Amino acid sequence: MCLCGGLAEDNARIILLAVVLAAYMLAGAALFQRLESDLEIRQATEFWRVYHAFRRHHLRGSPLALQRLHELLYAYGNASATGIINKRRRWDFPGSFHFVGTIVSTIGYGSTAPQTTAGKAAVVLYGFFGCSGGILFFNLFLERIITLLAWILRSWHVRRLRRRLRRTTLTSRRISKSSSTQRSFLPDILDDDDHVDLDQWKPSVYWVMLYLSVTSCIVACCAAALYAPLEGWDYFDALYFAFVSFTTIGFGDFVSTQKPSYPYVHWYRFTNFVFLVVGCCCIYSLLNVTSIVIKQGLNYVIHKLQYGNQDVAAPYLPRRQSSVSTVYYSKRRPTRLVGRDSIRAEDNSETPRRMSGEMISMKDFLSANKVSLAVMQKQLYDAAQKQRGGGSLAVTPNHQVLKPGAVGPLAIASEKFESKSTINR
């Protein structure tokens, strides 16, 4: 029974995501209300106890003194909120650089904010271009960190492939009676990188997510180890600050480099800047990859709502093929190698070679400076979706390879400008 009615898949996905986020937010509200409500009440009670005790002992029958006390409390609260007391200067050059860093990175702690009308107007214009450039920088970093991870995983895959080829060669040589016959049917390509066709090899999206998670945790732990002693925070508070900063949530309850003095203050400010940049980039990359996995889960739920337990997508899924078989039979010969992962391949077959559905494309990732974030997201999502049985990878007409910038809002704008410039030429 189809529970989604006549909704398109994209519409069903966004509606399902809205429902899931709403439920997630309601559960989060209930959780934090339970965790923080009692402490809030105790803190309010303690403040009023101190206030009334001070008033009884020092302000008996003096309305003018009580008014001045309220003015003092109000002025102290404003000064503490804006950071002009008990903290370093906000608007010297290091403080101003820290402020624009929170704008460009979209962290926005709130500990420093402009007070003048001209300053607020400058934030609107400066923040527009600054946030745009910051998001672009995060996207480019994401492309290159994925490229690096893909290269590392490809190197490991090549090693495994060569070991498997070596074992297969030794086994075949023991079976064969003549080495010349063996050479004619099983060429040795262990040292011939040109024949190892790995353009379509794809590392698992879950391995990429794991490595990004480990890297982000290492950066956060190292940053917390720096902040805890210099800022006088508990290590967990420093770790909490690192997470809030790296995810650009930026509550502002903890802010680094705000004390009047530090040992080695210039080195500390520089290291703090490096940690914020690297941490934001790593967490941004991790969030993007995680969003693809979440999207895969939404599609799985939609599939279950539409088809129930019927296995609709399974007949259309490609068979898993060994990389050894791919190297030997797609490039060398149509014969069949007996083995656990081997399949039959024919030179005259019209069927394109099928690869494992758990991988993202390597060909685009290893093309220098031609990797598109949108394409990477599309391929990661399609690969994860295919691995879970949600359908086969999208194939463009005439087997055309997706070009960088072919998917996503940035690609749409680029395509419009490109088509316009083409017409003008």
Side-chain angles (χ1 to χ4, degrees):
M1 178 179 179
C2 179
L3 299 179
C4 297
L7 288 176
E9 183 179 353
D10 291 340
N11 295 331
R13 186 187 301 114
I14 192 172
I15 292 174
L16 179 60
L17 179 59
V19 172
V20 171
L21 284 178
Y24 190 75
M25 293 171 66
L26 290 174
L31 172 65
F32 287 107
Q33 180 186 16
R34 182 176 181 84
L35 294 176
E36 301 293 334
S37 178
D38 292 340
L39 178 60
E40 178 190 31
I41 294 174
R42 289 198 301 269
Q43 288 176 339
T45 302
E46 178 64 17
F47 169 77
W48 288 114
R49 184 191 67 80
V50 173
Y51 171 83
H52 289 298
F54 181 85
R55 183 176 177 180
R56 283 195 305 269
H57 290 86
H58 302 283
L59 301 177
R60 295 179 180 178
S62 177
L64 181 60
L66 180 61
Q67 180 182 356
R68 290 180 176 177
L69 173 63
H70 290 167
E71 292 176 355
L72 174 63
L73 293 176
Y74 180 79
Y76 182 84
N78 288 337
S80 178
T82 55
I84 61 176
I85 57 174
N86 300 325
K87 295 181 180 179
R88 67 168 175 83
R89 287 189 58 192
R90 288 292 188 267
W91 298 110
D92 56 357
F93 185 80
S96 300
F97 185 81
H98 183 270
F99 170 70
V100 298
T102 62
I103 294 179
V104 173
S105 62
T106 70
I107 296 177
Y109 291 117
S111 58
T112 303
Q115 302 294 316
T116 64
T117 303
K120 295 175 181 177
V123 165
V124 174
L125 182 62
Y126 184 89
F128 177 80
F129 291 102
C131 291
S132 301
I135 292 174
L136 176 61
F137 178 81
F138 291 153
N139 289 342
L140 296 178
F141 180 89
L142 173 59
E143 292 175 355
R144 276 133 190 88
I145 194 65
I146 293 297
T147 301
L148 176 61
L149 290 175
W151 179 81
I152 294 174
L153 292 174
R154 179 183 182 275
S155 300
W156 290 349
H157 178 70
V158 168
R159 290 195 186 97
R160 292 196 303 268
L161 176 60
R162 288 179 173 176
R163 285 197 298 267
R164 185 183 298 179
L165 287 171
R166 192 172 289 108
R167 288 196 302 267
T168 304
T169 302
L170 294 176
T171 302
S172 300
R173 286 175 178 173
R174 285 195 299 265
I175 296 175
S176 177
K177 295 180 179 180
S178 173
S179 60
S180 59
T181 305
Q182 170 64 23
R183 175 67 65 178
S184 62
F185 284 96
L186 191 60
D188 189 1
I189 61 172
L190 294 179
D191 298 325
D192 190 358
D193 291 338
D194 294 336
H195 293 288
V196 181
D197 185 8
L198 296 174
D199 286 345
Q200 298 301 321
W201 186 85
K202 306 166 186 178
S204 171
V205 61
Y206 303 107
W207 281 111
V208 174
M209 182 176 175
L210 175 62
Y211 293 143
L212 286 175
S213 300
V214 172
T215 303
S216 300
C217 289
I218 292 175
V219 173
C221 290
C222 293
L226 173 69
Y227 294 135
L230 293 178
E231 298 290 346
W233 300 336
D234 294 335
Y235 184 80
F236 184 80
D237 288 338
L239 196 62
Y240 159 80
F241 163 76
F243 173 79
V244 170
S245 299
F246 295 167
T247 55
T248 70
I249 296 174
F251 290 124
D253 49 348
F254 290 91
V255 183
S256 59
T257 67
Q258 300 300 299
K259 290 183 178 180
S261 62
Y262 292 95
Y264 307 103
V265 60
H266 298 295
W267 284 107
Y268 176 51
R269 286 174 178 172
F270 175 76
T271 308
N272 173 67
F273 175 77
V274 172
F275 270 126
L276 289 178
V277 171
V278 175
C280 288
C281 289
C282 291
I283 292 293
Y284 179 84
S285 303
L286 177 60
L287 294 178
N288 274 273
V289 175
T290 305
S291 66
I292 297 171
V293 177
I294 294 175
K295 187 177 181 182
Q296 172 201 356
L298 294 176
N299 279 356
Y300 177 79
V301 173
I302 293 174
H303 176 80
K304 286 297 183 182
L305 292 177
Q306 288 179 339
Y307 303 107
N309 294 325
Q310 298 178 4
D311 191 6
V312 177
Y316 303 98
L317 290 178
R319 296 171 59 187
R320 184 177 181 88
Q321 178 171 325
S322 169
S323 298
V324 178
S325 302
T326 299
V327 171
Y328 274 102
Y329 304 117
S330 65
K331 292 283 185 180
R332 297 290 181 158
R333 58 194 180 87
T335 57
R336 184 164 63 99
L337 178 66
V338 178
R340 162 171 77 115
D341 293 327
S342 62
I343 65 169
R344 179 175 300 170
E346 298 181 1
D347 286 341
N348 298 327
S349 175
E350 297 295 333
T351 304
R353 184 179 59 187
R354 294 172 178 175
M355 301 298 293
S356 169
E358 64 185 87
M359 306 296 182
I360 58 177
S361 175
M362 282 289 302
K363 186 173 184 178
D364 291 334
F365 287 161
L366 298 178
S367 299
N369 298 325
K370 294 182 180 179
V371 184
S372 169
L373 168 66
V375 173
M376 183 279 302
Q377 290 177 325
K378 177 70 173 176
Q379 290 172 338
L380 277 176
Y381 159 68
D382 285 342
Q385 173 71 10
K386 187 177 176 183
Q387 183 184 20
R388 291 291 299 271
S392 59
L393 286 173
V395 180
T396 55
N398 301 326
H399 305 286
Q400 294 177 352
V401 179
L402 287 174
K403 297 180 179 179
V407 184
L410 181 60
I412 295 175
S414 300
E415 183 180 358
K416 294 295 183 180
F417 290 127
E418 182 179 357
S419 60
K420 182 178 179 180
S421 61
T422 303
I423 294 175
N424 291 338
R425 282 183 291 177

